[in-house]
Amino acid sequence: MIIESKSDDTNEVEIQAKVESNFEDHPSDMMIVLTDRERIGVPKPSSDPTIEDLKAIQQQVKARIKTMIAEDIPFFTMDGIRNVHEQVQKCMAQGGKGDVFVKGLDGIIVRFQLHIGKTYDWADFTSVKPVIEYAAIQHLTSEKWVEHLDPEIAFCNLVVYHRVKHLDKETREVATAKDAFRPKEDVGRDFDKSLHEWMASEQCRQLRNLDILRQNAGRIRKIVAFACGSITHSDERSKGRSSYQHGLIKTLHDILSQARHEDVNLTREQKEKHIQCFIQDPAYTNIDRELFQDDYGIATILENPEGFLEVDDSTVVLSFSPNVPVRQIVVDIAKPAVMIWDRILDEDDRDVTDPDSRRMKSVIDGLYDQIEFPEDKAHFGDIAIYGRRA
């Protein structure tokens, strides 16, 4: 596939179509680059900001977030995420070019310029796909990164990036991912083995005996899981974790479906209503899609941010050490029936991609009971179950 930098719109649309038709996400090929952006209605400074300027901006961000917490204003909103997603989708429908407008926490609108097929002078990359990224409270306020602060997006917890791929220096084709895909037959065989290991494990047996799942079955309509990873990894640890986590999704569906069928308080129609399962992770490949959706019927793969848009009060949410602040997002946009995710600690300053927060802990303490998940840190990390009180 030949990729060239063109100046006219027609050729750029052709580039986008060629790239998208051959594009497949892969765990080893996940580089993103920030799009061009500007704060609307705010005069641009005549010179680059000094470190003192950046520190002053960050103090303003901290003050705004402190006010939001005091006034119980959600940091993330379902409408805000949906609005940005719809704008991105509209740009993609119009050839992969256009402006996406995002309201910052200070109320100022930031314009992100989406341009699929763009090449970069500083490296052999071409943009192939838009990506919405999420900034946790800590990431906007951490003094550790203040010298790298971008004043244009200092108040933005939703940011638009380009997913980029390498161009071969000689052919100008999109380069093949560094890690070649394993054959589907090998991936499927390994997954089937791990799935049977999980279902025969002591942890799975203990999970099936937990009352919290059966007690909540009547109000659960869907399961949404984030960051369970790709099973196409060649790394044994990574594919093992991913296989067990997807096995957990299947087990939860089985437990909840059986409990609903046995619940004498539900009508026949309610008992027979199917529990939907969705999974979201940018690492999924076509092989993952075929196995999870078609062969095993475990779940439907959704693109970011569609998984978040599915979360509501009738959902079981799963998340295991994601690269985005899943927990901060979820507790703001909904109050799910059950969450199974990284244990919430009294440490909101941890340098992690899915950090705790005082706001999150307040919501959990006020509405949820914590139940221990059968320990298996090798495959799930340090997680716990949080069930919403009736």
Side-chain angles (χ1 to χ4, degrees):
M1 176 178 55
I2 305 299
I3 304 295
E4 298 178 1
S5 178
K6 302 291 185 180
S7 59
D8 63 285
D9 291 345
T10 301
N11 284 329
E12 286 178 346
V13 171
E14 291 175 355
I15 290 173
Q16 180 217 356
K18 290 179 181 178
V19 171
E20 288 190 325
S21 66
N22 289 274
F23 177 78
E24 181 178 22
D25 283 325
H26 190 272
S28 66
D29 203 10
M30 304 286 286
M31 185 172 292
I32 58 176
V33 175
L34 191 59
T35 61
D36 292 336
R37 62 277 176 200
E38 64 173 344
R39 281 159 60 89
I40 296 178
V42 178
K44 287 188 174 296
S46 57
S47 60
D48 292 337
T50 64
I51 187 65
E52 287 74 21
D53 294 332
L54 297 179
K55 288 180 178 179
I57 293 172
Q58 189 175 73
Q59 288 304 314
Q60 295 172 19
V61 175
K62 289 182 177 180
R64 175 55 186 158
I65 291 176
K66 183 177 180 180
T67 298
M68 293 177 69
I69 293 174
E71 297 180 1
D72 198 28
I73 300 173
F75 193 63
F76 295 98
T77 67
M78 185 73 81
D79 287 343
I81 295 172
R82 181 181 290 109
N83 177 265
V84 174
H85 176 54
E86 289 176 349
Q87 291 185 67
V88 169
Q89 293 296 97
K90 183 177 180 180
C91 288
M92 294 302 291
Q94 296 175 346
K97 291 180 64 177
D99 294 334
V100 178
F101 299 94
V102 179
K103 180 183 286 189
L105 301 179
D106 58 349
I108 301 297
I109 303 296
V110 178
R111 174 168 53 210
F112 294 89
Q113 295 177 299
L114 195 62
H115 186 168
I116 302 305
K118 176 180 180 178
T119 56
Y120 296 85
D121 295 335
W122 46 268
D124 289 315
F125 290 125
T126 184
S127 58
V128 296
K129 189 176 183 180
V131 177
I132 300 172
E133 285 289 303
Y134 312 86
I137 292 174
Q138 291 86 339
H139 298 162
L140 293 182
T141 59
S142 173
E143 296 178 3
K144 179 179 180 180
W145 306 107
V146 66
E147 62 183 282
H148 302 291
L149 182 69
D150 184 340
E152 300 296 325
I153 58 173
F155 286 88
C156 284
N157 59 350
L158 297 177
V159 181
V160 181
Y161 284 78
H162 285 141
R163 173 74 53 77
V164 298
K165 282 206 166 192
H166 283 281
L167 291 174
D168 185 277
K169 292 183 179 180
E170 295 182 1
T171 66
R172 308 310 293 167
E173 295 179 352
V174 173
T176 304
K178 290 181 292 183
D179 295 333
F181 290 109
R182 294 192 299 141
K184 179 186 173 183
E185 294 74 18
D186 293 350
V187 175
R189 182 176 58 252
D190 289 347
F191 177 62
D192 193 69
K193 178 183 177 182
S194 294
L195 186 60
H196 281 85
E197 288 176 355
W198 156 251
M199 296 180 71
S201 69
E202 176 62 18
Q203 289 84 358
C204 184
R205 186 194 68 78
Q206 292 179 25
L207 187 70
R208 290 182 180 277
N209 290 329
L210 289 179
D211 291 335
I212 184 174
L213 297 174
R214 291 191 296 273
Q215 291 170 352
N216 282 277
R219 57 179 175 176
I220 292 172
R221 300 289 181 270
K222 65 182 80 169
I223 298 170
V224 181
F226 300 91
C228 292
S230 170
I231 57 173
T232 62
H233 282 285
S234 56
D235 175 69
E236 291 294 329
R237 180 178 180 274
S238 296
K239 71 181 181 184
R241 283 176 58 91
S242 179
S243 295
Y244 267 56
Q245 290 169 15
H246 289 94
L248 170 61
I249 297 170
K250 180 177 177 7
T251 299
L252 288 173
H253 182 270
D254 293 345
I255 293 172
L256 294 169
S257 297
Q258 181 178 350
R260 288 172 63 86
H261 183 73
E262 296 173 351
D263 192 337
V264 296
N265 296 315
L266 297 181
T267 65
R268 180 178 178 180
E269 182 180 357
Q270 290 173 322
K271 291 180 179 182
E272 294 178 351
K273 191 172 182 62
H274 180 67
I275 296 175
Q276 297 175 292
C277 293
F278 301 105
I279 50 180
Q280 176 183 305
D281 193 319
Y284 287 134
T285 68
N286 282 342
I287 292 177
D288 292 308
R289 192 178 302 274
E290 291 175 13
L291 288 170
F292 294 147
Q293 293 185 172
D294 303 333
D295 297 354
Y296 286 87
I298 290 176
T300 299
I301 293 178
L302 298 179
E303 296 293 328
N304 173 41
E306 293 169 357
F308 291 117
L309 300 181
E310 286 290 344
V311 174
D312 59 24
D313 294 357
S314 69
T315 305
V316 176
V317 175
L318 291 83
S319 176
F320 310 100
S321 302
N323 286 329
V324 295
V326 169
R327 297 176 302 161
Q328 289 191 18
I329 296 170
V330 167
V331 298
D332 269 351
I333 64 176
K335 300 299 177 283
V338 176
M339 288 102 71
I340 303 177
W341 59 23
D342 297 341
R343 186 185 304 276
I344 296 173
L345 306 171
D346 292 321
E347 303 174 11
D348 63 354
D349 60 347
R350 291 189 299 158
D351 188 16
V352 294
T353 52
D354 184 27
D356 300 335
S357 72
R358 294 177 186 176
R359 174 178 173 80
M360 181 202 308
K361 191 173 187 307
S362 175
V363 171
I364 297 299
D365 289 346
L367 299 176
Y368 290 83
D369 292 321
Q370 177 179 312
I371 297 90
E372 290 302 309
F373 185 89
E375 184 173 341
D376 183 356
K377 292 184 179 180
H379 293 107
F380 300 101
D382 184 16
I383 64 174
I385 303 173
Y386 299 91
R388 195 178 73 233
R389 301 185 193 108

